[in-house]
């Protein structure tokens, strides 16, 4: 497929210092993520780093990397700068893979890119999977998404949506109608829109929910959503997450 994977990587992390350089089975985590993303059909995988130490780690293992500014407020801003450096624009497709997801499914990356190619009226694509646990449905840390008939996002929220008015118990998913959907933080973009995104004003809904994708909907753009049956492999946010992934990949060859 003719698309590019961009992986934003920040050295600072409050819960896991120097996270991109954390060793996982003999390789820095950012290299593990890039190699996993390279198993997709993307024509190019590029890390967008904010520190020379990340650049050095990538170069040592043959991973393409660009050095971006340190003062970007969001990962989207960092990706917009990377698009400029790489000359990506217009309808060039970009998939944003987070730099702390060494278990990301390459097929899911391809699905986001393919959906964006198919739905020409959408500037972004993302993914979601069914929620089966009522505790997840009620959990504000689990972001939910509701779709229209063509699988375009209507709204993202930390609240339990859609709300089943006649549920036998509060905050119960209406699974007899259609499954509630958990949003997966994987994004496809048209490069022209990604370069425009940092200039869009922050929406009130984005401020309330603390969800950046609501800025896109607020300004009248469309987001296509790929539904996958299963949850993706969990990312690495904490030292405990890091140890779990290390245990899973301890027999993998560097």
């Amino acid at each position: 497929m003719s698309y590019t994977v961009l992986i934003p990587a920040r050295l600072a992390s409050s819960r896991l210092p120097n996270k991109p350089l954390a060793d996982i089975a003999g390789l820095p985590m950012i290299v593990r993520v890039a190699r996993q993303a390279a198993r997709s059909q993307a024509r190019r995988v590029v890390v967008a780093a904010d520190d020379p130490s990340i650049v050095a780690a990538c170069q040592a293992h043959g991973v393409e990397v660009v050095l971006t500014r340190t003062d970007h407020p969001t990962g989207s801003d960092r990706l917009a700068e990377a698009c400029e450096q790489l000359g990506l624009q217009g309808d060039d497709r970009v998939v944003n893979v987070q730099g702390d997801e060494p278990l990301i499914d390459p097929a899911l990356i391809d699905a986001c890119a393919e959906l964006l190619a198919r739905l020409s009226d959408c500037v972004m694509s993302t993914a979601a999977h069914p929620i089966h646990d009522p505790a997840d449905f009620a959990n504000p840390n689990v972001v939910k998404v509701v779709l229209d008939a063509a699988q375009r996002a209507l709204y993202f929220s930390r609240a339990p949506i859609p709300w089943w008015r006649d549920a036998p118990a509060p905050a119960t998913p209406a699974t007899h109608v259609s499954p509630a959907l958990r949003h997966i933080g994987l994004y496809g973009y048209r490069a022209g829109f990604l370069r425009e995104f940092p200039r869009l004003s922050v929406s009130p809904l984005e401020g309330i929910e603390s969800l950046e994708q609501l800025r896109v909907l607020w300004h009248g753009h469309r987001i296509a959503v790929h539904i996958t049956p299963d949850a993706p492999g969990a990312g690495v946010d904490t030292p405990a997450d890091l140890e779990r992934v290390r245990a899973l990949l301890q027999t993998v060859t560097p």
Side-chain angles (χ1 to χ4, degrees), residues 18 20 31 54 58 143 145 194 199 213:
N18 299 325
V31 174
I54 301 174
C58 290
V143 177
V145 59
L194 181 54
R199 296 190 289 272
Q213 62 268 38

Side-chain angles (χ1 to χ4, degrees), residues 104-119:
I104 187 72
D105 182 0
L108 192 58
I109 301 173
D110 288 333
C112 277
E114 190 278 332
L115 187 60
L116 196 58
R118 185 157 47 87
L119 298 181

Side-chain angles (χ1 to χ4, degrees), residues 163-234:
W163 183 266
W164 184 10
R165 187 195 65 177
D166 299 323
T172 300
T175 53
H176 65 296
V177 179
S178 63
L181 296 172
R182 178 177 188 163
H183 177 232
I184 299 169
L186 177 71
Y187 297 101
Y189 297 89
R190 300 193 191 283
F193 175 76
L194 181 54
R195 294 175 67 164
E196 174 193 347
F197 179 82
R199 296 190 289 272
L200 295 178
S201 60
V202 175
S203 77
L205 294 173
E206 175 187 358
I208 292 168
E209 296 261 20
S210 191
L211 295 174
E212 194 177 81
Q213 62 268 38
L214 291 176
R215 189 186 315 179
V216 180
L217 299 182
W218 173 265
H219 286 279
H221 299 289
R222 288 180 168 177
I223 301 175
V225 182
H226 168 75
I227 299 176
T228 183
D230 302 309

